[in-house]
Amino acid sequence: MKRTEIETIAHLARLELREAEIPSYQESLARILELVGELGRADVAGVTPMAHPLPGLSQRLRADEVTERDDHERYQLNAPRVEAALYLVPKVIE
Amino acid sequence: MVSKSLAELATGLSNGEFSSVELTRHLLARVEAAQAALNALVSVTGEIALAQAQAADREIAAGRAGPLTGIPVIHKDIFCTDGVRTSCGSRMLDNFVAPYDATVVARLRNAGMVMLGKANMDEFAMGSSNETSFYGPVRNPWDTRRVPGGSSGGSAAAVAARLTPAATATDTGGSIRQPAALCGVTGIKPTYGRVSRYGMIAFASSLDQGGVITVSAEDAAVVLGAMAGFDPRDSTSVDRPVPNYAAALDRPIAGLKIGLLKEFFEKGLEADCERCVRAALDVYRKLGATLKEVSLPNISLSVPAYYVVAPAECSSNLARFDGVRFGYRCQDPRDLTDLYRRSRGEGFGAEVKRRIMTGTFVLSTGYYDAYYLKAQQVRQLIARDFERAFSEVDVIMGPTTPTAAFGLGAKTADPVTMYLNDIYTIGANLAGLPALSIPCGFAGTLPVGLQIIGPHFAEDRLLNAAHAYQRETDWHRRIPPGYE
């Protein structure tokens, strides 16, 4: 894979890569794509893609009711920066 | 005490032979003694354990004990534990204290189990050797120069070294069965949807399933029975009664139709592993089972299909780690994009980044049909292969892994070499099937695993078959030298 391709993918995934890491990802992603490229030999004409591993089951929905209590103080103990119950991030709008 | 089954431990507790506090102290001391050599745990929760053990002793004294009351357990660090750090083996969550319990953790606590600590694991369960953990590799108790397997390597090593009678684990592509095989213990991955994924940190949501690692199938039956069952908080949890697994253990297996997976005995299987597996099949034959070759023509595409589906789902699931609400945040971010990029770039290890990038690539514009859609179609073909096989046989048997435990560092240079280690286990995940691994002999001094795969929700049949074998053999009772 080209260096620019790795940089594009890393940006899409919002991953900062160190310069020194890039060559190893070029190599290993190329190897992985070679492996998954074997899918090309499968005859899948007319086969329904399988999104759920159990046949006949689909995602269950629940009633639209409030079931959680407000526990934000507890949850925000894990936040890197919080002020007045708000998560702080660098300034977005100048 | 270390060679007792769960049932024997429960009897010892109810007879007053020893208390849960004594048992817990004994195992905490073993955990501490083994930590430098094995690195099997990332957190030891001694105070919680002793408080839970005291509570269990009160329940036992009051005559309210169940089969798991006062029995210690170690949870894989992928399961959220209220008030206890839940790191998922990652720097990203090194500072994360879970604000709630996973359903699995809550159920086992309610059943009276005592949490000794949290098991080391591959970072975000991505790995087959436990070498991707931020906390360093776990070592195999049978040979500390070798890997325990992964991603539930800490859970498997801890049970093998008899630091705990049971450890929770998860399996996305083999992460329960492969380390169980490499460490010489019993590990069961239930049917997709059988055990709640609530509070189990997500890697690939259409494949992830929680299960348990124990010494024997008999022990696994008791713990799985307490873990399994419908959970309204997991939208993929299946609303279906849980059979009494323990009651199914002693059914005679004469007449059991065993399918030998032709493709699993072809190239790549080490001679010693094949010898052990074939000897195990002979035991089944003597027990009256019938053996028949079956074929899964598309199984050779399971690794390629998995390495599209799992990274795609992982890239989506791990998007939540953004350095804003919880987890690692980089120093002095310039702007929001820099905050995201550096928090993720620094917080995730190399293998996790590799999988996120693979997933991002296969889902990106122009590639979706060639990779993700095609992988989902191949997944369907593999599921149909299994369905066809199960119209002819009751269970499928074969090796769990192509080789016994490999050396630390032996497969880290090339990710594809590592991925191919899961060649026999991934199929069951793609098809959502239950599967287990039990010890069936040794390649030199290293344990070998026999894999048994069943149709959806046939956990009782798998445990029954495994128990029948374990009544005839003692491989599962072997303890690594130095841990007797």
Side-chain angles (χ1 to χ4, degrees):
Chain A
M1 286 194 98
K2 294 196 201 98
R3 186 180 188 89
T4 50
E5 287 178 289
I6 296 292
E7 285 167 348
T8 305
I9 299 166
H11 179 69
L12 287 172
R14 298 294 185 271
L15 287 171
E16 182 85 17
L17 300 184
R18 283 178 282 112
E19 276 298 308
E21 286 178 292
I22 295 178
S24 86
Y25 287 116
Q26 280 177 270
E27 195 186 327
S28 60
L29 260 70
R31 289 276 291 132
I32 294 166
L33 292 180
E34 192 186 323
L35 170 77
V36 303
E38 285 177 41
L39 292 173
R41 67 183 162 87
D43 179 11
V44 293
V47 176
T48 316
M50 179 174 170
H52 194 292
L54 296 179
L57 284 182
S58 54
Q59 200 85 332
R60 194 180 63 250
L61 300 176
R62 63 169 173 83
D64 185 14
E65 287 161 3
V66 176
T67 55
E68 306 287 315
R69 61 195 165 136
D70 178 7
D71 230 352
H72 73 267
E73 282 174 16
R74 179 122 204 263
Y75 298 152
Q76 288 186 329
L77 290 174
N78 276 305
R81 287 191 67 195
V82 171
E83 204 175 290
L86 301 172
Y87 295 97
L88 294 194
V89 294
K91 196 194 268 185
V92 177
I93 302 165
E94 292 299 332
Chain B
M1 225 173 318
V2 299
S3 59
K4 286 192 193 306
S5 69
L6 277 185
E8 287 164 347
L9 287 173
T11 306
L13 288 167
S14 65
N15 287 349
E17 219 177 294
F18 46 85
S19 68
S20 176
V21 168
E22 284 167 329
L23 176 62
T24 300
R25 281 193 205 283
H26 176 71
L27 292 177
L28 285 171
R30 285 181 73 86
V31 163
E32 195 183 334
Q35 187 60 15
L38 302 180
N39 196 28
L41 277 78
V42 292
S43 304
V44 179
T45 53
E47 279 180 31
I48 294 174
L50 289 169
Q52 290 178 337
Q54 281 161 1
D57 282 334
R58 287 193 295 272
E59 291 297 298
I60 293 163
R64 286 192 298 258
L68 292 173
T69 306
I71 306 278
V73 65
I74 289 174
H75 290 300
K76 183 176 182 180
D77 209 22
I78 199 169
F79 288 102
C80 284
T81 40
D82 196 352
V84 174
R85 181 183 66 173
T86 300
S87 73
C88 219
S90 183
R91 181 185 194 191
M92 183 59 86
L93 291 177
D94 183 49
N95 60 4
F96 178 70
V97 177
Y100 66 96
D101 274 331
T103 296
V104 161
V105 171
R107 287 195 178 175
L108 295 184
R109 181 170 37 72
N110 292 338
M113 290 195 98
V114 170
M115 176 172 72
L116 299 176
K118 307 288 298 281
N120 199 349
M121 56 181 282
D122 276 300
E123 184 179 8
F124 284 101
M126 298 175 201
S128 307
S129 66
N130 222 295
E131 292 170 290
T132 73
S133 170
F134 176 60
Y135 304 98
V138 174
R139 288 161 185 275
N140 192 315
W142 290 94
D143 179 348
T144 53
R145 293 163 303 177
R146 292 175 187 269
V147 304
S151 67
S152 309
S155 301
V159 173
R162 305 305 194 261
L163 312 182
T164 177
T168 56
T170 61
D171 191 315
T172 304
S175 281
I176 291 177
R177 292 159 285 157
Q178 187 254 16
L182 268 42
C183 289
V185 290
T186 299
I188 181 164
K189 176 204 99 72
T191 308
Y192 181 81
R194 179 77 290 184
V195 167
S196 170
R197 294 186 300 109
Y198 179 76
M200 189 178 109
I201 296 169
F203 157 18
S205 303
S206 78
L207 302 162
D208 295 343
Q209 182 59 201
V212 68
I213 293 177
T214 51
V215 168
S216 67
E218 185 190 354
D219 292 354
V222 182
V223 184
L224 182 63
M227 288 168 75
F230 179 62
D231 179 8
R233 291 194 282 197
D234 171 2
S235 66
T236 59
S237 170
V238 175
D239 193 356
R240 183 181 167 123
V242 179
N244 185 339
Y245 298 126
L249 288 172
D250 287 316
R251 287 184 209 147
I253 63 155
L256 183 77
K257 283 182 280 187
I258 298 174
L260 302 187
L261 202 42
K262 179 169 151 280
E263 289 81 3
F264 283 8
F265 290 93
E266 288 168 356
K267 64 177 189 321
L269 177 61
E270 211 170 62
D272 274 346
C273 293
E274 175 163 2
R275 173 183 52 79
C276 295
V277 170
R278 292 210 184 269
L281 296 170
D282 284 338
V283 172
Y284 280 103
R285 212 177 268 121
K286 287 196 192 99
L287 289 169
T290 58
L291 274 62
K292 172 184 182 179
E293 191 169 87
V294 293
S295 171
L296 304 178
N298 295 290
I299 197 77
S300 66
L301 289 170
S302 61
V303 176
Y306 177 87
Y307 277 98
V308 171
V309 173
E313 295 183 9
C314 126
S315 73
S316 164
N317 270 324
L318 271 59
R320 77 192 64 184
F321 299 101
D322 57 4
V324 174
R325 290 155 303 153
F326 56 90
Y328 177 82
R329 177 183 283 200
C330 66
Q331 292 286 317
D332 306 319
R334 287 191 307 278
D335 54 34
L336 196 56
T337 304
D338 184 48
L339 167 73
Y340 294 150
R341 287 177 54 118
R342 280 202 292 126
S343 297
R344 291 165 59 78
E346 294 165 16
F348 292 133
E351 180 58 23
V352 171
K353 285 191 270 196
R354 186 154 38 236
R355 297 211 194 180
I356 291 174
M357 286 197 284
T358 305
T360 303
F361 177 78
V362 299
L363 292 175
S364 60
T365 315
Y367 295 104
Y368 181 85
D369 285 3
Y371 290 109
Y372 193 69
L373 191 70
K374 190 122 197 204
Q376 296 283 60
Q377 289 173 308
V378 168
R379 191 174 178 184
Q380 185 77 266
L381 293 178
I382 292 169
R384 284 184 197 163
D385 281 357
F386 273 111
E387 207 177 313
R388 237 184 331 265
F390 285 125
S391 69
E392 298 174 35
V393 296
D394 301 317
V395 294
I396 290 173
M397 291 192 190
T400 309
T401 59
T403 68
F406 46 92
L408 284 155
K411 297 191 180 188
T412 45
D414 173 26
V416 171
T417 310
M418 187 71 86
Y419 297 172
L420 289 170
N421 200 63
D422 292 336
I423 193 156
Y424 304 141
T425 48
I426 278 175
N429 300 84
L430 291 171
L433 300 167
L436 58 73
S437 179
I438 51 174
C440 68
F442 284 83
T445 56
L446 301 169
V448 173
L450 170 75
Q451 184 177 208
I452 313 179
I453 308 173
H456 291 126
F457 300 103
E459 286 82 1
D460 51 348
R461 193 185 301 168
L462 300 186
L463 291 163
N464 174 209
H467 181 63
Y469 176 78
Q470 291 182 335
R471 287 208 307 193
E472 300 297 316
T473 58
D474 70 349
W475 303 116
H476 62 293
R477 298 203 185 284
R478 305 289 177 92
I479 300 178
Y483 295 96
E484 297 91 342

